[in-house]
Amino acid sequence: MTTAIQKWGNSQGVRLPKFILEAANFAEDEEITVTAENGKIIISKAEKEIDIEELFANYDGDYKPTEIDWGESAGKEVW
């Protein structure tokens, strides 16, 4: 499929057909990142920011730290 870059206010824009967005699993109003590499424009889904509450939402407090046996000293380590 070919399309054209068109003037959009003081910028330029490209219209993406619905079937292209659906094929790439993009939704309307979804945040994206746009980068340029080697003469190509790459459109990707924006990485979602995760706050500390979301990060630990499924943590149930069952972690128990354990000591690791690293073996005998091999040099002049002081323990």
Side-chain angles (χ1 to χ4, degrees):
M1 183 195 114
T2 59
T3 188
I5 298 173
Q6 299 176 335
K7 187 165 178 62
W8 192 346
N10 288 334
S11 300
Q12 288 77 41
V14 176
R15 287 188 157 201
L16 301 173
K18 185 176 180 179
F19 76 92
I20 294 286
L21 295 174
E22 288 173 348
N25 199 26
F26 280 79
E28 187 174 326
D29 296 326
E30 185 168 11
E31 289 194 19
I32 59 170
T33 58
V34 181
T35 56
E37 290 181 14
N38 301 323
K40 296 180 182 179
I41 297 172
I42 302 166
I43 301 172
S44 307
K45 290 186 177 199
E47 295 290 328
K48 182 182 175 196
E49 297 275 332
I50 298 176
D51 62 19
I52 194 76
E53 285 82 18
E54 289 177 307
L55 185 62
F56 286 96
N58 296 325
Y59 177 67
D60 59 8
D62 65 348
Y63 174 74
K64 301 284 188 265
T66 58
E67 191 170 315
I68 298 174
D69 181 7
W70 295 100
E72 294 294 319
S73 297
K76 297 181 180 179
E77 296 93 346
V78 177
W79 297 97

